[in-house]
């Protein structure tokens, strides 16, 4: 008989109570997996999109919100003239309800700019020029909107023809509705305005030169932020806020988990006072009794962690299929997140078991044996 | 006192002087300054009515509790001042309780192995030892059964096997036949006596049953926390 067997026999004494406690922890862990998975999935989607388009520097006016504010598109011309800029173009992005889809990302892209280059046509064609009232749908957007090339689509006040379906090489691009910039400015009421300037620097530019370019842009246009593409996710206040919110909500769920396990373990110690007295009488050290309680508690955390990761993954998979999320969110459930979630669950178990373990170590065997 | 005095120069196994135990901040005196000696290999019965302090005395001998006054020497050394309770309980003494105190979620074999945790032996050796003892108490056919499947007499025999698994020099038995019918009580007493002789252990047995006490080589009678007599039993040489 091993110590591990003793631990699991202890948990098996009250299978329903152990099961409910494990379920309690698993709900907290599922919240961690779902919320953090969504937030990091969104970060991954944005990084993937920037990689796919090949943007080196992105200029926006975040102002602490998640959606950047629109600004005058003439900024693009002044940036394009700066040394160290190979190409600059403007994009107007909005999250809108499009027909039956509650929320879709809609882009107005400068016709002829590199932001159209990553599209691989699956069906139809790209717009012929900057003025054509035509949209190109990412393949996920086409699926959600149930459109094919040749169909009509209503975006805000405009009626457009779907001229093509494309593979955009990233989740955000595949979930987007794209049209020439002037057409989107017209129907969205943002005439002459954009909310992103996408910059490519000449090949071989040093990181220091790119940093210098960012500083120059921020000095020229107070209120705008110029960020290197690989730093967008790490430095954006919006992402930081989303990350903080997902972790703080998860923390609340975990606190509830800690209280649940602590309550179970305390009840278990009180109920098993007699058994603990027997073990002490049979020569078990107090440290071994403490280790037993802590390991039981940690084992419940471990089981709760595994169940929580499964529940969280199922939740993420269900969310991924939801029309409101599909197309602009790729939940990120990697081994790293699963391992972190299980480690957190074991930590919750150990922390919850500390006080009950200490209580168990204070029992006098003589008194405990009396009941 | 009428107990067997150790031979000159022989250190008694236990020697109590003014041993007292009070509960509830002194409001409940359980043991009121008792003096006694127990020699190695003796079979001592402690008898008396409920609440006379006999179980308290057994708890002090087993280091399950600490005295509030007086000293208890074990092989000449003050037990509660210098001894490591866990090591003492694991290596020196074996307990047998009235209610058997077998752990309900463990099989009989596992119950017998529980005191061996932390002992430097392989699992196979511990298992072999448990099997030998269960065979000795006539339970070799019950190894994989849970305690709930056993009769009272069988449970107590399993508890006796458990008490001997670490080869202790002392057996402390608290009303070992208290929950058994007379037939099973007789079998358990026969077993205890046989094993005590075979393993050459010191047996201190608490009982309120004078018939059971009579098996001992020495009978200590207690009343109101005091020893009122200490005389040879019927099996005294």
């Amino acid at each position: 008989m091993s110590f591990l067997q003793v631990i699991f026999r202890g948990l098996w004494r009250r299978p329903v109570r152990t099961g409910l406690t494990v379920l309690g922890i698993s709900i907290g862990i599922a919240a961690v997996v779902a919320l953090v998975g969504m937030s990091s999935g969104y970060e991954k989607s944005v990084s993937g999109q920037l990689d796919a388009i090949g943007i080196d520097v992105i200029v926006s006016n975040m102002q602490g919100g998640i959606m950047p504010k629109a600004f005058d598109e003439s900024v693009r011309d002044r940036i394009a003239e700066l040394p160290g800029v190979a190409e600059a173009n403007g994009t107007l992005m909005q999250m809108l309800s499009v027909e039956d889809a509650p929320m879709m990302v809609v882009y107005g892209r400068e016709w002829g700019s590199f932001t159209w280059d990553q599209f691989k046509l699956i069906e139809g064609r790209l717009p012929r020029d900057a003025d054509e009232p035509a949209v190109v749908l990412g393949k996920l957007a086409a699926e959600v909107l149930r459109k094919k090339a040749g169909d009509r689509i209503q975006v805000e006040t405009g009626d457009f023809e779907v001229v093509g379906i494309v593979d955009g090489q990233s989740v955000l691009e595949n979930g987007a509705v794209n049209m020439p910039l002037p057409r989107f400015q017209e129907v969205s009421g943002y005439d002459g305005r954009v909310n992103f300037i996408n910059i490519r620097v000449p090949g071989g530019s040093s990181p220091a030169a790119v940093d210098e370019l960012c500083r120059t842009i921020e000095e020229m246009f107070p209120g705008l932020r110029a960020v290197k593409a690989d730093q967008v996710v790490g430095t954006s206040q919006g992402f930081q806020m989303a990350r903080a919110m997902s972790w703080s909500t998860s923390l609340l769920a975990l606190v509830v988990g800690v209280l649940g396990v602590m309550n179970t373990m305390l009840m278990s110690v009180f109920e098993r006072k007699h058994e603990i007295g027997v073990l002490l009488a049979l020569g078990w050290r107090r440290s071994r009794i403490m280790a037993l309680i802590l390991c039981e508690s940690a084992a419940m955390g471990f089981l709760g962690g595994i169940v929580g990761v499964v529940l969280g993954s199922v939740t993420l998979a269900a969310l991924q299929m939801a029309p409101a999320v599909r197309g602009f969110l790729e939940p990120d459930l990697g081994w790293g997140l699963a391992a972190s979630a299980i480690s957190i669950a074991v930590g919750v178990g150990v922390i919850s078991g500390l006080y009950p373990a200490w209580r168990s170590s204070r029992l006098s065997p003589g008194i405990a044996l009396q009941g | 006192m009428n107990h067997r005095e150790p031979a000159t120069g022989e250190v008694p196994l236990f020697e109590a002087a003014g041993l007292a135990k009070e509960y509830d901040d002194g409001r409940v005196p359980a043991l009121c300054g008792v003096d006694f000696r127990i020699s190695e290999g003796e079979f001592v019965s402690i008898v008396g009515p409920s609440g006379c302090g006999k179980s308290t005395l057994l708890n002090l001998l087993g280091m399950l509790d600490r005295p509030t006054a007086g000293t208890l020497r074990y092989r000449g050394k003050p037990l509660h001042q210098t001894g490591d309770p866990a090591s003492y309980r694991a290596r020196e003494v074996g307990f047998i309780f009235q209610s058997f105190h077998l752990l309900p979620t463990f099989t009989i074999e596992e119950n017998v192995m529980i005191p061996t945790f932390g002992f430097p032996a392989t699992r196979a050796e511990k298992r072999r030892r448990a099997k030998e003892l269960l065979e000795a108490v006539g339970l070799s056919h019950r190894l994989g059964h849970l305690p709930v499947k056993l009769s009272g007499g069988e449970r107590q025999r399993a508890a006796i096997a458990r008490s001997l698994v670490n080869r202790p020099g002392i057996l402390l038995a608290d009303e070992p036949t208290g929950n058994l019918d007379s037939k099973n009580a007789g079998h358990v007493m026969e077993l205890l006596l046989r094993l005590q002789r075979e393993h050459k252990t010191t047996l201190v047995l608490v009982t309120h049953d004078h018939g059971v006490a009579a098996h001992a080589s020495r009978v200590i009678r207690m009343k109101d926390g005091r020893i009122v007599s200490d005389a040879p039993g019927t099996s005294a040489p």
Side-chain angles (χ1 to χ4, degrees):
Chain A
M1 187 177 47
S2 66
F3 193 60
L4 202 63
Q5 279 175 296
V6 179
I7 292 164
F8 282 98
R9 294 287 171 83
L11 294 176
W12 194 244
R13 275 173 68 100
R14 299 272 183 189
V16 174
R17 193 172 65 193
T18 300
L20 287 174
T21 309
V22 166
L23 192 65
I25 304 170
S26 68
I27 289 169
I29 293 300
V32 173
V33 170
L35 291 170
V36 176
M38 275 175 70
S39 120
S40 83
Y42 186 57
E43 292 174 12
K44 202 170 141 188
S45 303
V46 171
S47 298
Q49 183 192 30
L50 297 177
D51 275 352
I53 300 175
I55 296 171
D56 294 318
V57 174
I58 193 153
V59 180
S60 66
N61 180 1
M62 289 302 282
Q63 299 279 339
I66 289 181
M67 278 298 292
K69 286 191 164 56
F71 51 90
D72 198 288
E73 65 182 334
S74 63
V75 169
R76 176 219 36 221
D77 299 331
R78 294 177 62 194
I79 287 176
E81 287 166 7
L82 289 172
V85 174
E87 189 179 341
N89 58 68
T91 302
L92 178 64
M93 183 195 93
Q94 295 293 310
M95 279 175 154
L96 301 173
S97 165
V98 178
E99 297 194 343
D100 292 337
M103 203 190 290
M104 298 222 81
V105 181
V106 184
Y107 286 104
R109 301 169 191 258
E110 274 191 49
W111 178 240
S113 73
F114 64 78
T115 57
W116 293 91
D117 294 349
Q118 82 281 6
F119 289 145
K120 286 186 180 165
L121 273 171
I122 296 171
E123 193 184 330
R125 59 174 175 84
L126 294 181
R128 287 198 184 89
D129 53 46
D131 294 321
E132 186 184 4
V135 301
V136 167
L137 300 178
K139 59 183 181 183
L140 278 175
E143 216 175 286
V144 170
L145 292 164
R146 290 190 291 274
K147 299 285 184 191
K148 55 185 190 310
D151 288 350
R152 307 296 300 180
I153 187 168
Q154 185 80 26
V155 179
E156 295 290 81
T157 57
D159 179 50
F160 297 87
E161 183 188 351
V162 178
V163 293
I165 311 293
V166 293
D167 178 355
Q169 317 287 322
S170 75
V171 175
L172 273 179
E173 293 287 281
N174 282 334
V177 176
N178 307 280
M179 65 180 84
L181 179 61
R183 296 279 71 79
F184 190 37
Q185 287 172 327
E186 194 180 292
V187 297
S188 61
Y190 283 97
D191 280 321
R193 296 170 79 76
V194 293
N195 49 13
F196 290 107
I197 304 287
N198 311 303
I199 299 171
R200 269 188 184 169
V201 297
S205 299
S206 69
V210 182
D211 288 338
E212 181 55 35
L213 174 65
C214 292
R215 269 195 298 277
T216 307
I217 294 170
E218 288 183 357
E219 280 166 20
M220 278 175 70
F221 306 102
L224 293 189
R225 286 191 69 215
V227 182
K228 288 202 282 188
D230 57 0
Q231 292 173 354
V232 166
V233 168
T235 58
S236 158
Q237 285 181 328
F239 288 120
Q240 283 168 0
M241 205 163 73
R243 214 176 297 143
M245 276 173 67
S246 61
W247 275 109
S248 52
T249 311
S250 305
L251 192 68
L252 275 177
L254 289 174
V255 168
V256 174
V258 166
L259 294 176
V261 185
M262 196 181 288
N263 180 46
T264 298
M265 291 315 293
L266 269 177
M267 279 175 71
S268 173
V269 167
F270 290 138
E271 271 182 19
R272 290 159 68 191
K273 209 160 87 171
H274 182 77
E275 181 181 320
I276 291 169
V278 173
L279 291 173
L280 287 168
L282 297 180
W284 276 41
R285 293 193 173 278
R286 291 181 188 281
S287 56
R288 184 174 289 129
I289 303 278
M290 281 182 80
L292 176 67
I293 302 295
L294 274 178
C295 288
E296 282 185 14
S297 190
M300 277 201 285
F302 180 70
L303 293 174
I306 291 174
V307 177
V309 167
V310 173
L311 281 180
S313 310
V314 171
T315 309
L316 277 178
L319 277 172
Q320 203 171 0
M321 301 307 289
V325 172
R326 202 167 178 203
F328 64 91
L329 190 65
E330 181 183 32
D332 181 22
L333 179 74
W335 288 110
L337 178 58
S340 304
I342 292 171
S343 306
I344 290 169
V346 172
V348 163
V350 171
I351 291 168
S352 316
L354 284 174
Y355 178 63
W358 178 79
R359 285 292 296 257
S360 71
S361 76
R362 310 301 298 165
L363 285 174
S364 155
I367 293 170
L369 279 170
Q370 287 165 15
Chain B
M1 294 292 166
N2 196 15
H3 54 73
R4 180 173 81 80
E5 287 296 330
T8 312
E10 183 191 335
V11 177
L13 187 68
F14 289 112
E15 184 173 23
L19 196 63
K21 177 69 186 176
E22 293 169 341
Y23 292 105
D24 206 7
D25 289 331
R27 283 191 283 271
V28 184
L31 209 57
C32 309
V34 297
D35 304 316
F36 63 86
R37 285 177 173 192
I38 296 174
S39 297
E40 196 153 8
E42 266 193 294
F43 173 10
V44 180
S45 280
I46 303 172
V47 293
S50 291
C52 70
K54 52 189 192 300
S55 291
T56 301
L57 181 56
L58 203 70
N59 283 352
L60 295 180
L61 291 175
M63 285 189 94
L64 294 180
D65 223 334
R66 296 181 66 84
T68 39
T71 55
L72 177 63
R73 290 181 173 275
Y74 173 66
R75 297 189 190 279
K77 291 179 182 166
L79 183 63
H80 292 90
Q81 282 75 34
T82 57
D84 167 16
S87 172
Y88 173 78
R89 290 192 291 255
R91 291 165 192 279
E92 308 292 328
V93 298
F95 287 96
I96 301 162
F97 305 99
Q98 179 177 3
S99 310
F100 328 125
H101 290 341
L102 297 173
L103 302 183
T105 52
F106 295 89
T107 65
I108 292 305
E109 185 186 22
E110 289 166 344
N111 263 285
V112 173
M113 287 170 72
I114 279 175
T116 65
F117 266 88
F119 264 64
T122 64
R123 199 180 297 179
E125 283 166 353
K126 291 175 181 177
R127 208 162 174 200
R128 194 167 51 242
R129 170 79 179 150
K131 276 184 180 168
E132 274 170 18
L133 285 166
L134 283 167
E135 202 170 315
V137 299
L139 289 176
S140 54
H141 60 299
R142 294 291 216 172
L143 299 181
H145 288 77
L146 291 175
V148 72
K149 300 282 181 191
L150 271 63
S151 70
E154 286 177 318
R155 286 185 216 180
Q156 194 57 296
R157 277 148 59 196
I160 291 170
R162 181 181 65 184
S163 73
L164 291 166
V165 73
N166 287 338
R167 299 184 172 84
I170 307 154
L171 279 182
L172 302 176
D174 191 358
E175 302 274 13
T177 57
N179 276 357
L180 303 177
D181 57 43
S182 58
K183 189 179 161 196
N184 272 310
H187 288 152
V188 164
M189 275 315 297
E190 276 172 33
L191 181 67
L192 259 180
L193 288 169
R194 176 167 62 82
L195 292 172
Q196 191 245 340
R197 277 195 299 272
E198 280 174 15
H199 294 261
K200 297 184 175 59
T201 54
T202 304
L203 175 59
V204 182
L205 183 147
V206 161
T207 181
H208 64 271
D209 183 333
H210 291 275
V212 170
H215 288 93
S217 55
R218 186 175 145 207
V219 179
I220 295 175
R221 288 175 201 284
M222 293 186 68
K223 192 178 177 190
D224 299 331
R226 291 187 169 81
I227 293 175
V228 292
S229 75
D230 188 344
T234 52
S235 70

